[in-house]
Structures are given as structure tokens and as C-alpha cells.
Amino acid sequence: QDNNIEIFPVVDENGNEISTAPRAVCHNGKSMLLHPVVHLHLFNEEGELFLQKRSMNKDLLPGKWDTSVGGHFQPGESAEEALKRETEEELGLKTFSFRFLKKYIWESPRERELVYSFTGTSDCEPAIDNIEVSDGRFWKINEIKDNLNNDLFTPNFVYEFKAVLLVY
């Protein structure tokens, strides 16, 4: 396998792995192969939510503010394994507490994702990975609410903030 080609698991709507496919195929807007991703909403003690700003060289939604952590599963990986690996990769956090919120299917013009959404907290300050992320900071919930319609955030984050987070 070419190390430059990222391979994603392909799953059914319950999250059972049924095959694998290259990233480019999963994101080409034609295959619409359902692939699992993990999202972490990281809060601090003041109840502020950490958001990351997507790097300008991302293939999807560059420069938009997004979930604290968002990443694809590797083949054979559980949601919890993917969550821990991606949180360490993106925020440098090895220790954090978390709980599962829900899973849902997110469909955009380019792809279909089975999203496993978690909320969590950590005593450590996130350290962002500047290859994938250009900025990151804690936001007050009202600041997010005030900007939901200002095209600052990814559509998926706006949906998840309203549908998943505000329920909890």
C-alpha cells in the first residue's frame, strides 16, 4: 500500500465495517461511501468550547472554524481508539475525560460520514497541530450562538452544535 494514500473503513449505517476505500474515493462526491469519523467537543472549566480553525490547505472547507477534534477512523479501529488517536494528533492531549453523545449520518455534496460525537474536558491546554489546523481557541457559548449565521463555522459544526450539543 502506498503510504501517501489514506485508506478509510467503509461502514453500514450501524457502523459495521464492510470494506475499505481510498480517501480520494470517499471524498470525490460520486461514491458517497459511508465512512466513520469521530468528533470531540472539548470544554474547559468555564464551560467554553475549544474550536479549531481549519488550515487553508485542507481539501474541504479551508479556513472555517470547526469541532475541537475531527478525524477519520483507520480500518479496524474503534470509536474510542480513533478519538484518543485524533485528540493526541490534533491537540496534543494524551489525558482527557470524555463521554459519547450520539452518532448520526452527515451528508454533504462531497461525502457521507457516520459521525461519532463525544464531549470531553481536559486539565491540559490544547496544543494545536499547525499542519492541519491554523488556529484554535476556547469560545464562549454565546459567542458561538451569535455567529452561527456568519459563515465562520463549517456546516457540520453548526448542525452538530444545534442538534447535539445544545440538547446536553
Side-chain angles (χ1 to χ4, degrees):
Q1 172 187 333
D2 181 345
N3 288 337
N4 296 324
I5 298 178
E6 213 177 335
I7 300 294
F8 293 165
V10 176
V11 296
D12 64 19
E13 298 197 347
N14 296 316
N16 301 305
E17 194 170 320
I18 48 178
S19 67
T20 58
R23 177 190 196 106
V25 173
C26 290
H27 286 179
N28 67 11
K30 297 186 198 73
S31 76
M32 300 310 268
L33 292 170
L34 187 64
H35 56 286
V37 298
V38 64
H39 287 176
L40 174 66
H41 301 280
L42 184 74
F43 289 90
N44 64 15
E45 288 172 0
E46 287 77 50
E48 297 168 329
L49 178 58
F50 189 86
L51 299 182
Q52 57 162 275
K53 190 173 190 180
R54 296 172 65 81
S55 155
M56 290 309 286
N57 57 26
K58 294 290 273 184
D59 57 340
L60 299 177
L61 302 163
K64 298 283 189 197
W65 288 92
D66 204 354
T67 323
S68 315
V69 172
H72 293 89
F73 284 47
Q74 293 175 351
E77 208 172 31
S78 71
E80 198 168 298
E81 288 165 341
L83 177 73
K84 289 176 175 174
R85 179 180 51 76
E86 287 289 341
T87 300
E88 185 172 348
E89 281 177 16
E90 294 188 6
L91 301 183
L93 298 178
K94 288 186 171 71
T95 56
F96 60 100
S97 58
F98 60 89
R99 66 185 174 92
F100 176 70
L101 296 176
K102 70 185 293 189
K103 69 180 186 205
Y104 65 91
I105 291 176
W106 173 255
E107 191 162 333
S108 78
R110 291 276 297 274
E111 61 174 341
R112 283 177 76 223
E113 294 181 330
L114 182 62
V115 181
Y116 289 77
S117 183
F118 292 83
T119 182
T121 56
S122 177
D123 298 334
C124 304
E125 189 67 22
I128 57 173
D129 168 5
N130 286 303
I131 299 165
E132 294 202 4
V133 181
S134 65
D135 196 4
R137 68 176 177 88
F138 283 99
W139 294 60
K140 294 186 185 319
I141 297 303
N142 283 338
E143 184 186 9
I144 295 172
K145 286 180 180 173
D146 290 346
N147 283 290
L148 283 178
N149 300 320
N150 294 348
D151 203 32
L152 291 182
F153 308 114
T154 64
N156 192 179
F157 173 75
V158 171
Y159 168 83
E160 199 163 329
F161 183 79
K162 291 176 177 173
V164 179
L165 280 181
L166 287 184
V167 179
Y168 290 89

